[in-house]
Amino acid sequence: MPSFIDPRNFYHDQRGLGPGSAVESTASEAKQGYTVQAKNPVLMCMYSSQDGFATDFYLVHIGQLAMRGLGLTIMEASGVSPEGRITPHCLGIWKDEHIEKLQQIVRFAHANKCAIGIQLAHAGHKSSTVAP
């Protein structure tokens, strides 16, 4: 019978660290490819965009997390087409015009030593035109 690893205890059991601790790659992990060490990473979905555009809400929300020492944030699932968004209030990245506000958010996060990424998404048959 395989032993069960409680995901809440994974880092503690495997690395001797508690949740939220920065984890350095082991030598074998580093050989497998590019790795990033980040303190307190977070992935979030805020459903606060307008026509796919990031609003000031995102700048303030991500900015305050970065200022408090967040090491990594990944912006919510961002639609690569308007029909592929999970909801009409999801971020988008199908227009060049979407880039300007996202760049502002990235510059602010980087200025506060916070790495930032974006999740590209297409919800497929689960996409919706109705707000949650």
Side-chain angles (χ1 to χ4, degrees):
M1 179 175 209
S3 62
F4 174 75
I5 297 175
D6 184 344
R8 293 170 296 182
N9 296 326
F10 176 77
Y11 289 113
H12 176 71
D13 294 345
Q14 300 297 314
R15 305 273 179 91
L17 301 171
S21 298
V23 177
E24 291 190 41
S25 302
T26 64
S28 63
E29 290 170 337
K31 287 179 185 177
Q32 293 177 9
Y34 182 75
T35 59
V36 174
Q37 178 182 342
K39 181 178 115 182
N40 305 321
V42 67
L43 172 67
M44 61 186 69
C45 287
M46 302 309 297
Y47 306 111
S48 298
S49 76
Q50 296 170 355
D51 189 32
F53 287 89
T55 59
D56 285 341
F57 170 84
Y58 289 93
L59 176 62
V60 171
H61 185 67
I62 300 297
Q64 59 93 17
L65 292 170
M67 289 174 61
R68 291 180 179 166
L70 187 72
L72 169 67
T73 187
I74 300 176
M75 301 289 287
E76 69 186 62
S78 302
V80 295
S81 71
E83 357 4 89
R85 291 177 286 175
I86 298 168
T87 77
H89 299 293
C90 289
L91 277 178
I93 194 160
W94 67 85
K95 296 181 192 178
D96 288 344
E97 293 83 8
H98 289 143
I99 296 170
E100 183 178 353
K101 190 66 165 187
L102 293 171
Q103 282 180 326
Q104 182 185 14
I105 295 166
V106 168
R107 281 192 302 270
F108 191 87
H110 287 174
N112 286 279
K113 298 183 178 18
C114 177
I116 189 165
I118 191 166
Q119 179 185 2
L120 300 178
H122 191 289
H125 70 280
K126 293 182 180 182
S127 59
S128 176
T129 57
V130 180

